[in-house]
Amino acid sequence: MTRRFRIPRRLELRDLRPVTISGKEVPPLVEGGKGIAVSNGESCGAWASAGGVGTFSGVNADAFDADGALIPVRYGGRTRRERHEELLAYAIQGGISQARIAHEMAGGQGRIHMNVLWEMAGAERVLRGVLTGARGLIHGVTCGAGMPYRIAEIAAEHKVYYYPIVSSARAFRALWKRAYHKFSQWLGGVVYEDPWRAGGHNGLSNSEDPNEPQEPLPRVSELRRTMSQMGLDATPIFMAGGVWYLREWGDWFDNPEIGPVAFQFGTRPLLTRESPISPQWKRRLLELREGDVSLNKFSPTGFYSSAVFNTFLDELRERSERQISFASEPIGALDCELLVGPRARRIYVTANDKACAEAWMREGHTEGLRTPDSTIIFTTPEKAREIRTDQADCMGCLSACFFSNWSQNEAGTTGRKADPRSYCIQKTLQDIAHGGKVDEQLMFAGHNAYRFRDDPFYSNGFVPTVRQLVDRLLTGD
């Protein structure tokens, strides 16, 4: 007989049905996987122990030695390629460490998933390395940030379920036609990630307006129709992005247009005792107001991303605003000579832009850094040195990086000029994950993070355990 997890009638929700995920019937509660060292084995294992689906991040996860001490990440390679190989070795070691921690904490309850980004460096090698080294400990793999065609084949090789993260029915159809139909028995579910509301990197297409959010129900209904055409009526959809109270999703339960559904929580698990983020970060979450999280396109991946607007993002915004077009020789309206930097490099700009540039230089933004788009940005000598150092220290953490021009192809380069309007994502995420100042680093969060402030569950600065949070979610709140 099918079990049901009751929602109090006062919430006017139907019964909360369990869903079969990665071969086991569980409550439809999934922990979202969050970047470098933010969702780890401890948070994942606690979530699974509470009966749900825990997810640890396989993106450059922390590794521990036999005594439980954190293994420091130090790069000795002189070239990007050498550092890239070191990074992949660390990533595999870290993923195995986190899988073991999660497995031990789960105690046989729930499910354990690993989250990876398809656009991260060596995604296929890291996946195979972790799944081999942690054989039998991981039940499923979620994967987004790109079009992860090969995830199905890799999951099937290791007999684990795979969960592609998509933001449209069109994206899933392309994945199915190209690869997934060959490995349909291991397709555990499809994660629909709302590109306007989810935290971290978002899957907005070129045809979608970042300033015009669309409601998720019609888009997920379209995804279900697409899946039904492929015989996937019983395959669950995970709703991710913008989920806070389950009672607000009553129209999704027992809805034939949606079918089997689970809900993925990325932001709320940040504020738990098992969450590895710093106390400073947790305090900041409780202070956020509506609008503090915004979409931006500064990421070196080229994707939009959602993060808390702070001094880190403000500096990037200002950096891009101090930007003008230029030419190496006078051409058209670009006919005014401008001398830039300590070497007085000669470029040609418009008359209006020359006046702007001279004003910026008087303010101390005397260094000009060229972009791939025939423009130049102005910044301080200190910031220019930091940008150049970060670009030179690149360890190839992405499959292709706009900031450093690294690519994991044979040439080792995107073929484009490095873009100083972006940043080293590995550096900032490692820093904030390991105690760095939250206002001075990239702080990913979902757009509902401001609700911590007014949710009575968190009154007086209360930080729950994962189990307390899961129990709370099952009441509809």
Side-chain angles (χ1 to χ4, degrees):
M1 182 175 180
T2 300
R3 294 179 294 125
R4 293 191 177 191
F5 303 89
R6 302 290 296 185
I7 294 291
R9 288 298 179 188
R10 65 181 176 84
L11 300 177
E12 299 181 358
L13 285 180
R14 299 179 179 88
D15 296 334
L16 183 59
R17 297 178 182 274
V19 178
T20 299
I21 297 176
S22 295
K24 186 172 185 176
E25 192 175 79
V26 295
L29 304 178
V30 181
E31 178 193 14
K34 298 170 289 296
I36 294 173
V38 174
S39 53
N40 64 1
E42 186 174 356
S43 64
C44 168
W47 195 279
S49 177
V53 179
T55 309
F56 71 89
S57 173
V59 183
N60 305 130
D62 287 341
F64 300 89
D65 62 23
D67 296 323
L70 178 68
I71 298 174
V73 177
R74 298 190 179 95
Y75 295 99
R78 299 182 63 184
T79 67
R80 288 181 177 181
R81 184 70 68 183
E82 290 172 348
R83 294 192 293 271
H84 175 71
E85 291 299 319
E86 293 176 89
L87 177 137
L88 297 187
Y90 279 125
I92 293 170
Q93 186 180 22
I96 295 170
S97 287
Q98 299 303 329
R100 289 172 177 165
I101 293 169
H103 174 75
E104 291 174 4
M105 289 192 63
Q109 302 301 308
R111 298 280 86 179
I112 294 172
H113 286 184
M114 170 182 171
N115 179 67
V116 294
L117 306 178
W118 198 244
E119 293 301 323
M120 74 181 193
E124 294 183 38
R125 286 175 58 185
V126 172
L127 262 177
R128 286 193 166 96
V130 175
L131 291 175
T132 298
R135 190 178 303 278
L137 307 184
I138 299 169
H139 306 113
V141 177
T142 58
C143 186
M147 294 293 281
Y149 296 110
R150 298 287 302 281
I151 187 71
E153 178 183 348
I154 296 169
E157 287 175 4
H158 293 86
K159 295 182 170 53
V160 301
Y161 294 90
Y162 64 99
Y163 298 80
I165 301 172
V166 301
S167 295
S168 68
R170 180 181 179 184
F172 179 72
R173 184 185 296 276
L175 290 165
W176 176 265
K177 286 186 174 181
R178 178 162 173 178
Y180 292 178
H181 70 279
K182 302 175 186 176
F183 308 97
S184 59
Q185 70 272 31
W186 293 107
L187 178 63
V190 179
V191 182
Y192 170 78
E193 186 176 71
D194 190 305
W196 291 275
R197 296 171 178 86
H201 289 105
N202 307 77
L204 279 168
S205 70
N206 292 332
S207 63
E208 292 165 332
D209 188 340
N211 299 311
E212 294 292 335
Q214 297 178 19
E215 289 300 317
L217 184 59
R219 293 169 67 92
V220 175
S221 296
E222 182 184 4
L223 174 60
R224 174 58 70 190
R225 288 193 297 273
T226 298
M227 293 171 63
S228 294
Q229 294 168 8
M230 300 158 181
L232 301 173
D233 297 89
T235 303
I237 292 173
F238 295 1
M239 175 60 213
V243 182
W244 195 268
Y245 298 129
L246 285 181
R247 56 179 162 82
E248 297 173 334
W249 299 80
D251 291 344
W252 291 57
F253 297 113
D254 293 328
N255 186 335
E257 293 186 11
I258 300 297
V261 63
F263 293 88
Q264 181 168 300
F265 295 83
T267 298
R268 287 189 73 171
L270 285 171
L271 197 58
T272 59
R273 295 183 200 173
E274 293 88 349
S275 169
I277 68 174
S278 68
Q280 180 190 15
W281 191 342
K282 291 177 182 179
R283 286 194 300 271
R284 184 72 182 99
L285 289 171
L286 289 166
E287 299 167 352
L288 295 176
R289 297 181 182 273
E290 188 169 6
D292 282 351
V293 176
S294 59
L295 277 168
N296 68 83
K297 208 173 184 185
F298 294 120
S299 172
T301 63
F303 295 118
Y304 278 95
S305 68
S306 295
V308 175
F309 192 82
N310 56 12
T311 57
F312 179 85
L313 287 183
D314 194 39
E315 191 279 325
L316 283 165
R317 177 185 60 79
E318 291 179 349
R319 196 190 305 174
S320 283
E321 288 177 350
R322 292 190 300 271
Q323 179 175 194
I324 58 176
S325 297
F326 78 96
S328 299
E329 300 291 339
I331 181 172
L334 303 173
D335 59 357
C336 292
E337 182 181 276
L338 179 67
L339 303 180
V340 179
R343 297 189 217 172
R345 291 175 299 164
R346 182 180 291 105
I347 62 174
Y348 294 88
V349 300
T350 67
N352 285 339
D353 285 346
K354 179 177 181 178
C356 290
E358 288 175 339
W360 295 329
M361 288 190 283
R362 286 194 296 271
E363 294 171 354
H365 302 285
T366 56
E367 283 284 344
L369 302 178
R370 302 187 183 198
T371 81
D373 300 320
S374 298
T375 63
I376 187 169
I377 66 168
F378 289 81
T379 189
T380 63
E382 295 78 16
K383 178 57 67 172
R385 282 194 295 272
E386 178 186 333
I387 291 169
R388 292 185 179 114
T389 298
D390 288 347
Q391 289 171 335
D393 290 345
C394 173
M395 72 293 291
C397 71
L398 299 173
S399 61
C401 177
F402 291 170
F403 175 66
S404 69
N405 90 353
W406 153 267
S407 174
Q408 63 185 18
N409 59 25
E410 291 185 4
T413 174
T414 61
R416 288 170 54 84
K417 179 184 289 291
D419 195 335
R421 296 167 295 188
S422 189
Y423 55 88
C424 176
I425 194 166
Q426 177 77 198
K427 173 187 171 183
T428 185
L429 292 182
Q430 287 285 4
D431 196 327
I432 194 171
H434 296 96
K437 295 181 179 179
V438 295
D439 280 341
E440 298 177 8
Q441 303 299 337
L442 181 65
M443 183 182 173
F444 282 144
H447 289 252
N448 268 349
Y450 73 93
R451 301 185 75 172
F452 282 120
R453 185 183 183 90
D454 298 320
D455 189 330
F457 187 50
Y458 304 98
S459 60
N460 299 317
F462 175 65
V463 178
T465 65
V466 166
R467 184 172 292 276
Q468 287 172 323
L469 173 59
V470 169
D471 288 346
R472 179 78 170 189
L473 295 174
L474 288 171
T475 70
D477 286 341

